[in-house]
Coordinates of all heavy atoms in Angstrom, one line a residue:
M1 N -39.9 -188.3 80.0 CA -40.1 -187.4 81.1 C -41.1 -187.9 82.0 O -41.0 -187.9 83.2 CB -40.6 -186.0 80.5 CG -40.9 -185.0 81.6 SD -39.4 -184.4 82.3 CE -40.0 -183.2 83.5
G2 N -42.2 -188.5 81.7 CA -43.2 -189.2 82.4 C -42.6 -190.2 83.3 O -43.1 -190.4 84.5
R3 N -41.8 -191.0 82.7 CA -41.3 -192.1 83.4 C -40.4 -191.6 84.6 O -40.5 -192.2 85.7 CB -40.4 -193.1 82.5 CG -39.9 -194.3 83.4 CD -39.2 -195.2 82.4 NE -39.9 -195.5 81.2 CZ -39.3 -196.0 80.0 NH1 -38.0 -196.0 80.0 NH2 -40.1 -196.4 79.0
R4 N -39.6 -190.6 84.3 CA -38.7 -190.0 85.4 C -39.7 -189.5 86.6 O -39.3 -189.5 87.7 CB -37.9 -188.8 84.9 CG -36.7 -189.3 84.2 CD -35.8 -188.0 83.9 NE -34.6 -188.4 83.4 CZ -33.7 -187.7 82.9 NH1 -34.0 -186.4 82.9 NH2 -32.5 -188.1 82.7
Y5 N -40.8 -188.8 86.1 CA -41.6 -188.3 87.1 C -42.3 -189.2 88.0 O -42.4 -189.1 89.2 CB -42.7 -187.2 86.5 CG -43.6 -186.6 87.5 CD1 -43.1 -185.5 88.2 CD2 -44.8 -187.0 87.8 CE1 -44.0 -184.8 89.2 CE2 -45.7 -186.4 88.6 CZ -45.3 -185.3 89.3 OH -46.0 -184.7 90.3
R6 N -42.7 -190.3 87.4 CA -43.3 -191.4 88.1 C -42.4 -192.0 89.1 O -42.8 -192.5 90.2 CB -43.9 -192.4 87.2 CG -45.2 -192.1 86.6 CD -45.8 -193.3 85.8 NE -45.0 -193.8 84.9 CZ -45.0 -193.5 83.5 NH1 -45.9 -192.7 83.0 NH2 -44.2 -194.1 82.7
N7 N -41.0 -192.0 88.7 CA -40.1 -192.7 89.6 C -39.6 -191.9 90.7 O -38.9 -192.3 91.7 CB -38.9 -193.2 88.8 CG -39.3 -194.3 87.8 OD1 -40.2 -195.1 88.1 ND2 -38.6 -194.4 86.7
L8 N -40.0 -190.7 90.8 CA -39.6 -189.7 91.9 C -40.4 -190.1 93.2 O -41.4 -190.5 93.2 CB -39.8 -188.3 91.6 CG -39.0 -187.5 90.5 CD1 -39.5 -186.2 90.3 CD2 -37.5 -187.6 90.9
S9 N -39.6 -189.8 94.3 CA -40.2 -190.1 95.6 C -41.2 -188.9 95.9 O -41.1 -187.8 95.1 CB -39.3 -190.1 96.7 OG -38.6 -188.9 96.9
T10 N -42.1 -189.1 96.9 CA -43.0 -188.0 97.2 C -42.3 -186.8 97.6 O -42.7 -185.6 97.2 CB -44.0 -188.6 98.3 OG1 -44.7 -189.7 97.8 CG2 -45.0 -187.5 98.6
S11 N -41.2 -186.9 98.3 CA -40.6 -185.6 98.8 C -39.8 -185.0 97.7 O -39.8 -183.7 97.6 CB -39.5 -186.0 99.9 OG -38.6 -186.9 99.3
N12 N -39.4 -185.7 96.7 CA -38.7 -185.0 95.5 C -39.8 -184.4 94.7 O -39.6 -183.4 94.0 CB -38.0 -186.1 94.6 CG -36.7 -186.5 95.4 OD1 -36.2 -185.6 96.2 ND2 -36.1 -187.5 95.0
K13 N -41.1 -185.0 94.5 CA -42.1 -184.5 93.7 C -42.6 -183.1 94.4 O -42.8 -182.1 93.7 CB -43.3 -185.3 93.7 CG -43.2 -186.4 92.6 CD -44.4 -187.4 92.8 CE -44.2 -188.7 91.8 NZ -45.3 -189.5 91.8
L14 N -42.7 -183.2 95.7 CA -43.0 -181.9 96.3 C -41.9 -180.8 96.1 O -42.3 -179.6 96.0 CB -43.3 -182.2 98.0 CG -44.4 -182.8 98.3 CD1 -44.3 -183.3 99.8 CD2 -45.7 -182.0 98.0
A15 N -40.7 -181.2 96.2 CA -39.7 -180.3 96.0 C -39.7 -179.8 94.6 O -39.6 -178.5 94.3 CB -38.3 -181.0 96.2
L16 N -40.0 -180.6 93.6 CA -40.1 -180.0 92.2 C -41.3 -179.1 92.1 O -41.0 -178.1 91.5 CB -40.4 -181.3 91.3 CG -40.7 -180.9 89.9 CD1 -39.5 -180.4 89.1 CD2 -41.1 -182.3 89.1
W17 N -42.4 -179.4 92.6 CA -43.4 -178.6 92.4 C -43.3 -177.2 93.2 O -43.8 -176.2 92.8 CB -44.9 -179.2 92.7 CG -45.3 -180.2 91.7 CD1 -45.2 -181.4 91.8 CD2 -45.6 -179.8 90.4 NE1 -45.7 -181.9 90.5 CE2 -45.9 -181.0 89.7 CE3 -45.9 -178.6 89.7 CZ2 -46.4 -181.0 88.4 CZ3 -46.3 -178.5 88.4 CH2 -46.6 -179.8 87.8
S18 N -42.6 -177.2 94.4 CA -42.4 -176.0 95.0 C -41.5 -175.0 94.3 O -41.5 -173.9 94.3 CB -41.9 -176.4 96.4 OG -40.6 -177.1 96.4
G19 N -40.5 -175.9 93.6 CA -39.5 -175.0 92.7 C -40.3 -174.4 91.6 O -40.1 -173.3 91.2
V20 N -41.3 -175.1 91.0 CA -42.1 -174.4 89.9 C -42.9 -173.3 90.3 O -43.0 -172.3 89.8 CB -43.1 -175.6 89.4 CG1 -44.1 -175.0 88.4 CG2 -42.2 -176.7 88.6
V21 N -43.6 -173.6 91.6 CA -44.3 -172.4 92.0 C -43.5 -171.2 92.4 O -43.8 -170.0 92.1 CB -45.0 -172.9 93.4 CG1 -45.7 -171.7 94.2 CG2 -46.1 -173.9 92.9
A22 N -42.3 -171.4 92.9 CA -41.3 -170.3 93.3 C -40.9 -169.7 92.0 O -40.8 -168.4 91.9 CB -40.2 -170.9 94.1
A23 N -40.7 -170.4 90.9 CA -40.2 -169.9 89.7 C -41.3 -168.9 89.1 O -41.2 -167.9 88.5 CB -39.9 -170.9 88.7
L24 N -42.6 -169.5 89.3 CA -43.8 -168.6 88.7 C -43.9 -167.4 89.6 O -44.4 -166.3 89.0 CB -45.1 -169.5 88.7 CG -45.2 -170.5 87.7 CD1 -46.4 -171.4 87.9 CD2 -45.1 -170.0 86.3
A25 N -43.6 -167.5 90.8 CA -43.8 -166.3 91.7 C -42.9 -165.2 91.3 O -43.1 -164.0 91.4 CB -43.6 -166.6 93.2
F26 N -41.7 -165.6 90.7 CA -40.8 -164.5 90.3 C -41.1 -164.3 88.8 O -40.9 -163.0 88.3 CB -39.3 -165.1 90.4 CG -38.9 -164.9 91.8 CD1 -38.8 -166.2 92.5 CD2 -38.7 -163.8 92.5 CE1 -38.4 -166.1 93.8 CE2 -38.1 -163.7 93.7 CZ -38.0 -164.9 94.5
A27 N -41.6 -165.2 88.1 CA -41.7 -164.9 86.6 C -42.9 -164.0 86.2 O -42.8 -163.3 85.3 CB -41.7 -166.3 85.7
V28 N -44.0 -164.1 87.0 CA -45.2 -163.5 86.6 C -45.0 -161.9 86.8 O -45.3 -161.3 85.9 CB -46.4 -164.0 87.4 CG1 -47.6 -163.2 87.3 CG2 -46.7 -165.4 87.0
P29 N -44.5 -161.5 87.8 CA -44.4 -160.0 87.9 C -43.3 -159.6 86.9 O -43.5 -158.5 86.4 CB -43.9 -159.8 89.3 CG -44.2 -161.0 90.2 CD -44.1 -162.2 89.1
I30 N -42.4 -160.2 86.6 CA -41.4 -159.8 85.6 C -42.0 -159.8 84.2 O -41.9 -158.9 83.4 CB -40.2 -160.8 85.5 CG1 -39.4 -160.6 86.8 CG2 -39.2 -160.5 84.3 CD1 -38.3 -161.6 87.1
A31 N -42.9 -160.8 83.9 CA -43.5 -160.8 82.5 C -44.5 -159.5 82.6 O -44.7 -159.0 81.5 CB -44.3 -162.2 82.4
V32 N -45.1 -159.3 83.6 CA -46.2 -158.3 83.7 C -45.6 -156.9 83.4 O -45.9 -156.0 82.7 CB -47.0 -158.2 85.0 CG1 -47.8 -157.0 85.1 CG2 -47.8 -159.4 85.0
S33 N -44.4 -156.7 84.1 CA -43.6 -155.5 83.9 C -43.1 -155.3 82.5 O -43.1 -154.2 82.0 CB -42.4 -155.5 84.9 OG -41.6 -154.4 84.7
A34 N -42.6 -156.5 81.9 CA -42.2 -156.4 80.6 C -43.3 -156.0 79.7 O -43.2 -155.2 78.6 CB -41.5 -157.7 80.2
W35 N -44.5 -156.6 79.9 CA -45.6 -156.4 79.0 C -46.0 -154.9 79.1 O -46.3 -154.2 78.1 CB -46.8 -157.3 79.3 CG -48.0 -157.1 78.6 CD1 -49.0 -156.2 78.8 CD2 -48.3 -157.6 77.3 NE1 -49.9 -156.3 77.9 CE2 -49.6 -157.1 76.8 CE3 -47.7 -158.7 76.5 CZ2 -50.2 -157.6 75.8 CZ3 -48.2 -159.0 75.3 CH2 -49.5 -158.5 74.9
Q36 N -46.1 -154.2 80.3 CA -46.5 -152.9 80.5 C -45.4 -152.0 79.9 O -45.8 -150.9 79.4 CB -46.7 -152.7 81.9 CG -47.9 -153.3 82.4 CD -48.1 -153.2 84.0 OE1 -47.2 -152.8 84.6 NE2 -49.3 -153.4 84.5
T37 N -44.1 -152.4 79.9 CA -43.2 -151.5 79.3 C -43.2 -151.5 77.8 O -43.1 -150.5 77.0 CB -41.8 -152.1 79.7 OG1 -41.8 -151.9 81.1 CG2 -40.6 -151.0 79.1
T38 N -43.5 -152.7 77.3 CA -43.5 -153.0 75.8 C -44.8 -152.4 75.2 O -44.9 -151.6 74.2 CB -43.6 -154.4 75.4 OG1 -42.3 -155.0 75.9 CG2 -43.4 -154.6 73.8
F39 N -45.9 -152.4 75.9 CA -47.3 -152.0 75.5 C -47.8 -151.1 76.5 O -48.6 -151.6 77.4 CB -48.2 -153.2 75.2 CG -47.7 -154.1 74.1 CD1 -47.2 -155.4 74.6 CD2 -47.7 -153.8 72.9 CE1 -46.7 -156.2 73.7 CE2 -47.1 -154.7 71.9 CZ -46.7 -155.9 72.4

């Protein structure tokens, strides 16, 4: 995994991290809602 990440271009690294941030932006409210429903 580390070798693949190092071989990515800067634009691909930015695209990867923007995807991670976007996924977190959707995952965190869903996780909070699930937690509040369960407990």
Side-chain angles (χ1 to χ4, degrees):
M1 182 70 180
R3 186 181 303 161
R4 275 187 171 174
Y5 182 77
R6 282 191 302 261
N7 290 337
L8 289 176
S9 66
T10 303
S11 61
N12 285 341
K13 286 179 184 178
L14 287 173
L16 173 67
W17 284 110
S18 63
V20 169
V21 169
L24 286 175
F26 286 105
V28 169
I30 292 170
V32 169
S33 177
W35 181 268
Q36 290 174 345
T37 302
T38 306
F39 304 105

